[in-house]
Amino acid sequence: MDTQFLRAFYDLASWIRLSPLLNGPYLPFSAWSLRPGALIKLLDDIALGDRKVLVECGSGTSTIVFARYLAQRGHGNVLSLEHDEKWARWVNDQLAQEGLSEVARVVHAPLAEHPAAVKRVEWYEPGTVEDEVGAFTDKHGKIDLLLVDGPPGWEQGRKLARYPAVPALKEHLAPGATVMLDDVNRSEGVEITKRWEDECGLTMQLDPYGTRTAFGNFPA
């Protein structure tokens, strides 16, 4: 069967499964948003793995969908790092309007030089990351799901922008934590996953359903 047809079918089936969590205020989706199938895979992991401490690199619709599910379930928290101050404010405002501010929060973390970066490609400002993630994990426990969907890495010279996520946060990751990297369909995604495997012992596998993501579990 045609791969594009299978991908479209999987996305449609995923939209249907997502419908209970989309039955609320309008949420914007763009070409850069997580594919519906990737959201479903993450939600399944949260449910089946009983994930409680979620950190996102890059905020958006996923932040609100996760918060809705965790609130519905009755436990769990999300912290998102976001370089775009205006977007961070929009997501936080949306969370507040839905009464989800106790479940999820977006932190504005401007891009800056980071010691874990490759070729001096800017990542989230190190002091902000350490303060915010440190306080979050002190309160809720170690991260058991890390979604790496930011910062942007498609511009020339920023191809490895998402690499620092695992080396920078590994001390905060729980044994067996799920790690997901979006946009691995680009060559730099393959290089990032290879570096994580070689340097952090994290083996990532491409999702077979064309969601352009790779998943792995942090070593126990």
Side-chain angles (χ1 to χ4, degrees):
M1 192 175 289
D2 181 78
T3 303
Q4 288 188 330
F5 175 81
L6 281 174
R7 186 179 302 153
F9 179 81
Y10 186 61
D11 275 345
L12 178 59
S14 298
W15 278 121
I16 294 169
R17 289 187 60 197
L18 283 168
S19 58
L21 295 173
L22 299 177
N23 186 22
Y26 173 79
L27 298 178
F29 279 84
S30 72
W32 308 114
S33 300
L34 281 178
R35 293 182 72 93
L39 268 175
I40 284 293
K41 192 168 178 67
L42 284 162
L43 287 164
D44 284 351
D45 186 77
I46 293 168
L48 296 173
D50 194 27
R51 308 298 182 186
K52 302 179 182 70
V53 187
L54 284 59
V55 168
E56 293 183 300
C57 297
S59 66
T61 298
S62 60
T63 313
I64 298 165
V65 170
F66 294 154
R68 288 177 181 177
Y69 173 71
L70 295 176
Q72 183 185 92
R73 187 180 70 172
H75 63 280
N77 294 89
V78 185
L79 177 71
S80 293
L81 304 173
E82 176 57 55
H83 76 285
D84 185 322
E85 186 173 13
K86 182 178 179 180
W87 184 238
R89 188 182 307 117
W90 185 90
V91 178
N92 276 327
D93 287 347
Q94 186 65 36
L95 290 167
Q97 289 174 27
E98 297 189 32
L100 297 171
S101 296
E102 294 300 313
V103 178
R105 184 168 64 94
V106 181
V107 172
H108 174 229
L111 299 183
E113 288 190 9
H114 194 283
V118 177
K119 298 178 181 178
R120 302 175 67 88
V121 177
E122 292 181 334
W123 196 62
Y124 303 108
E125 199 279 319
T128 302
V129 172
E130 192 51 43
D131 289 349
E132 294 289 347
V133 175
F136 182 68
T137 55
D138 284 347
K139 181 176 181 179
H140 299 292
K142 289 201 169 186
I143 301 163
D144 54 21
L145 190 149
L146 173 63
L147 166 57
V148 185
D149 192 23
W154 58 84
E155 303 99 328
Q156 190 64 32
R158 290 195 50 80
K159 299 299 185 181
L160 295 175
R162 296 179 181 180
Y163 162 77
V166 171
L169 299 176
K170 65 181 180 181
E171 298 303 320
H172 298 288
L173 289 171
T178 292
V179 177
M180 194 217 80
L181 174 66
D182 194 25
D183 298 319
V184 291
N185 53 311
R186 300 194 294 256
S187 60
E188 62 272 12
V190 175
E191 183 174 348
I192 289 170
T193 59
K194 184 67 167 61
R195 283 175 175 266
W196 287 350
E197 181 174 357
D198 293 343
E199 299 167 16
C200 304
L202 178 63
T203 301
M204 305 288 286
Q205 294 184 338
L206 292 175
D207 182 64
Y209 292 101
T211 59
R212 73 189 183 205
T213 59
F215 286 78
N217 292 99
F218 196 65

